Amino acid sequence: MSNLIYRGPHDKHPRTVSDKPVAGTLLPGTFVTEGATTLTQAVAFGPKVRLLAHRDFYAMPGSWFNGSDPLKTAYAANETGVAYVLEPGQQYQAAMAAGNYTYGQPLTIGAAGRLTAAAAGNVVVAFADKAANVAAGDLLDVEIANHYAFAA
């Protein structure tokens, strides 16, 4: 696993929102909703859904896999966040609900701003980019979908 949230494509830079505070303590890879003044943890798909970026500026060289890993360094409440504006085809690491996921599985935003398996009627936000059995909050490679309502 790389220590970055954004995975590609690498021929362009993703757009970000970087002028609003987060409304709580949130880890990178969490889906948020961009409001007029804050980034708030998302619990379902809605307008202006974003994905919190990693905090590489907080890590010291050689410390990627300890407590100062940018993927494990949470934004504090009221701290200015950096969040990605999602576009179909972009690839990210995103926080997941606990479960067993298959390659290409449709995913939707669930509790705690984490992706979970889409059920009938859910808006598909992304697809799993690999098969994995993950614990709650683990990061998984995903590809952003052109949002649509899932039909089981």
Side-chain angles (χ1 to χ4, degrees):
M1 176 186 335
S2 172
N3 58 348
L4 303 172
I5 292 295
Y6 183 71
R7 309 288 274 162
H10 296 290
D11 60 346
K12 67 178 192 171
H13 292 292
R15 293 183 315 139
T16 59
V17 173
S18 59
D19 61 347
K20 297 179 180 175
V22 295
T25 302
L26 301 173
L27 284 167
T30 299
F31 281 84
V32 294
T33 301
E34 178 188 355
T37 59
T38 60
L39 298 171
T40 306
Q41 185 178 60
V43 294
F45 179 80
K48 295 199 167 238
V49 170
R50 310 292 187 227
L51 183 63
L52 279 181
H54 61 280
R55 301 177 52 154
D56 57 351
F57 49 88
Y58 275 71
M60 301 300 290
S63 64
W64 298 108
F65 298 104
N66 63 26
S68 62
D69 178 339
L71 295 178
K72 297 178 184 174
T73 305
Y75 288 93
N78 298 315
E79 188 173 28
T80 300
V82 177
Y84 294 107
V85 177
L86 305 173
E87 296 177 29
Q90 290 177 328
Q91 298 169 341
Y92 295 92
Q93 288 192 98
M96 303 296 294
N100 190 20
Y101 297 95
T102 59
Y103 175 80
Q105 184 172 5
L107 305 168
T108 192
I109 299 171
R114 296 175 180 162
L115 290 178
T116 190
N122 291 145
V123 175
V124 174
V125 174
F127 302 103
D129 214 22
K130 66 179 184 177
N133 187 10
V134 301
D138 282 355
L139 297 174
L140 182 68
D141 288 347
V142 300
E143 183 170 320
I144 301 302
N146 192 1
H147 311 314
Y148 66 95
F150 186 69

